Amino acid sequence: MTSELTIALPLVLPEASDARDQCVERLNELLVVSGLEQAHATPSGDALCVHFDPTRLDASEVRRIVQAAGAKISGRYRHETLRVDGMDCATCATVIEHALRRLDGVLEASVSFATERLRLEFDSERTNRAAIVRRLGALGYSVRERDGHGGALAQYRELILSLVSGVFLLAGWLLGRFEISNWASLGMLVSAYVAGGFFTLRDAAQSLRAGRFEIDLLMIVAAAGAAALGEWAEGALLLFLFSLGHALEHLAMDRARNAIEALGELSPKAAVVIRGGVQSEVSVEDLRRGDRIIVKPGERMPADGAVAQGLSAVNQAPVTGESVPVEKSLGDPVFAGTINGEGALEITVTKLASESTLARMVTLVTEAQAERSPTQQFVDRFERIFVPVVLIGAALLIALPPLLIGAPLAESFYRAMAVLVAASPCALAIATPAAVLAAVARAGQNGVLIKGGLHLENLGAIRAIAFDKTGTLTHGKPRVTDVRALSGSEAEVLRWAAALERRSAHPLARAVVDEATKRSLTLEEATEVQAVVGKGLAGQVNGREVRVGSLSMFEQRPLAGQARSEVARLQSEGKTTMLVGLDDAVVGVIALADTPRLGAAAVLSELKTLGIAENVMLSGDNESVAKTIGAAVGIDAVHGNLMPEDKVRVIEELVT
């Protein structure tokens, strides 16, 4: 007989990002050695399922064994994410990865040039963080202990030096062209060499230390060869163009980093936590699982968790894209970065700041930004072969003619340098990033944001497009779609509701007031307005009791069958409904929905004519709402109830 025990993975291995982490496999092996029959990750990947013999062990002993094994694994195999300064090209990321992976004890090293982040896994019994930082220092890079920008000078230093190189080049060429002063011309061209080759020389030296021949080295040798031939202007031009291409590419990457960092700013930096019965403000990074935090009305959720006390509507659009706030009560999950409504909530923290849904979103965007286009990947592979071949060929051109046919050494050297300069792949090196930047900039001027060369090139081959719903195919905010009067007129129903709702900041309330304003209705002043958290509003208008809210608000009062059937019909169409009560009777129903953008259907139809075989919609809204919008705009396939990682999974399935 075998029993099973399921334990949340973050409680056992806090640093493991998911079930694919190598530490999960190490833990499973250690648990089997410890006497348990089997251990594996659950299909969802967020928990560990342990099989054991209940005649030998009880659940508490198994839990103790698992936690002890997890502590042992976590204590030895460490995960770190470091911010690396000094990377000036994507090659730098490759150099760092190659060098660190050869360091004893480093199990994995992954560098994202787009975000300047180094993700590490290492065996703390064989190495440590300090040794890794020292290794980075030896390569010419440094670790930034605190995030921040080094100011405009640091951000634009490469572009500034490149432009300075161009100015010196122009001055030197003009002085030589008009024969004003040969020495002054040479001085200007040498200065252009220094300014244009500063970062290129540094990158070439770092690549050589890592045992790699990169295009930077060939550019330096080619420029030196041009100087040896007396063609200083040509060598300076090579360095200027190469450094300018690099500088522009880096500026684009900086913008991508800023966009990613802005995404991270959605989550607050501090939280009010209750520990030992005392409230105190702590950094979000210091929150622990099981902490009880207080989130006031209008505040953003500082961490992922579950509602422990209180009722409120939460705007989840920043994370899930849902256009209508979601009512939250005891036990319901909440996500970091979402916005609390009008009720105070106490939240039990279930995930650390680094594990939150928002943090995973940042990771997903980071990984997307790091992807390179097929052409860029080809150039990277090509230069690894091309650079050493050209250098070896130049060396042979210098050595073989004097040895084989007795040619003068000076003549052989001249020919080799000429070949070296001609073979310098300056155009190849700068053409791809320059073309990508030009295309991305042009698209941006027309309101289309493209995240990198990979996605740009893929546009020419795609046969399916996945659209987010909220704010893309729809307006991104609820609007009144139906007003049904069960007693009196539609205008009266809307007037009673809007009189109360204009005292609320809820998005649904604003939509009702906007509709009343649009119809030029005169609204009475409401008094004694009270919010019934999670249900609606109640108050007095012209001495009459008015209530506006969900079905649950009227559960203590008689509700006509017509009202229930009207609500059921409207909700089946994917709409959010609110009942309007006057004294003891329900007088009407108001329906709201996030409506399609004008022209969305026409755009999707045009895509069909351009060869797009399938238009897909991804949404965090419930399935019925998503399908209603999809049908209205002509979407082929609809996927609802999706979290950000689910959207990525659906896209991956489309690709395969």
Side-chain angles (χ1 to χ4, degrees), residues 186 190 193 219-236 238 398 409-421:
L186 181 60
V190 170
Y193 263 68
M219 295 302 300
I220 291 295
V221 176
L229 298 177
E231 300 293 340
W232 289 89
E234 186 171 338
L238 286 176
I398 295 173
L409 180 61
E411 183 180 336
S412 297
F413 179 80
Y414 184 91
R415 289 175 177 172
M417 291 300 100
V419 170
L420 187 61
V421 173

Side-chain angles (χ1 to χ4, degrees), residues 26 59 69 104 197 229 242 316 391 530 592 595 601 606 633 641:
R26 298 186 188 107
D104 182 45
L229 298 177
F242 188 70
Q316 298 189 154
L391 291 175
Q530 295 181 342
L592 305 97
T595 55
E606 180 68 17
V633 298
N641 295 317

Side-chain angles (χ1 to χ4, degrees), residues 96-109:
I96 293 173
E97 290 177 351
H98 183 69
L100 291 185
R101 287 171 182 169
R102 292 188 298 171
L103 190 64
D104 182 45
V106 174
L107 305 174
E108 183 57 42

